[in-house]
Amino acid sequence: MGDVIGETPQLDSPIRNFHAQLSPTPRGARLARLLATEQLRSWGLPLDPAALIVGELAANAVTHGRVTGRDFRLLLYVIGDTLRIEVTDTRSDRVPYVVQPAEADGESGRGMVLVEALAARWGVSEGPAPRKTVWAEVRLPPESDAP
């Protein structure tokens, strides 16, 4: 399946959103981070820590949420002083969790620790089956919340 990108037209609204459907491959995960970075730039929002969070959530979707032939979805939206990042995949049976330092091996296990440290809050929403959405919220500086 190919990469499909869409953006909601900008009207006189403080709500901004962006979504992209991406292939569940390392290329798709890299593209998710690049697209998010460009979208944040176009909105005049800070890139960090949001770009790092998108990178981790997209990498998790590709590594742990992949089902052959099923894309994952990236959604970014801003309401007030909050940027919400959502990554939806089709493996609701594999829910992310924060790995304790003793459990993390050299290759993986630290992604959600990073998300937890950088996000104001994060969580997982189920459904509709077989989907799950892993989300994280980032508080924006006061000068960034102008429409």
Side-chain angles (χ1 to χ4, degrees):
M1 299 195 152
D3 299 325
V4 179
I5 303 165
E7 182 176 5
T8 301
Q10 295 300 310
L11 305 173
D12 285 337
S13 169
I15 299 173
R16 296 170 270 184
N17 69 51
F18 168 84
H19 70 274
Q21 191 165 329
L22 302 149
S23 61
T25 62
R27 179 182 178 274
R30 284 189 304 274
L31 186 55
R33 184 173 174 162
L34 289 171
L35 290 170
T37 299
E38 288 307 309
Q39 189 61 52
L40 293 168
R41 246 188 219 118
S42 77
W43 287 339
L45 299 178
L47 304 182
D48 290 319
L52 294 170
I53 293 170
V54 168
E56 289 300 328
L57 297 183
N60 278 353
V62 167
T63 304
H64 305 292
R66 179 180 182 168
V67 174
T68 303
R70 294 184 184 167
D71 294 343
F72 74 95
R73 180 181 169 141
L74 168 67
L75 175 63
L76 306 175
Y77 59 94
V78 177
I79 299 178
D81 67 347
T82 302
L83 168 67
R84 184 160 168 127
I85 301 160
E86 296 184 0
V87 174
T88 302
D89 66 48
T90 54
R91 286 293 304 265
S92 60
D93 61 320
R94 301 197 68 190
V95 177
Y97 60 94
V98 176
V99 175
Q100 299 306 313
E103 297 176 61
D105 63 27
E107 297 297 314
S108 66
R110 295 186 197 98
M112 293 312 294
V113 172
L114 181 64
V115 170
E116 184 170 72
L118 296 174
R121 60 188 203 126
W122 72 276
V124 180
S125 302
E126 292 184 28
R131 294 177 192 89
K132 75 169 176 302
T133 298
V134 183
W135 57 268
E137 293 180 349
V138 175
R139 297 280 182 234
L140 299 171
E143 64 274 2
S144 296
D145 62 3

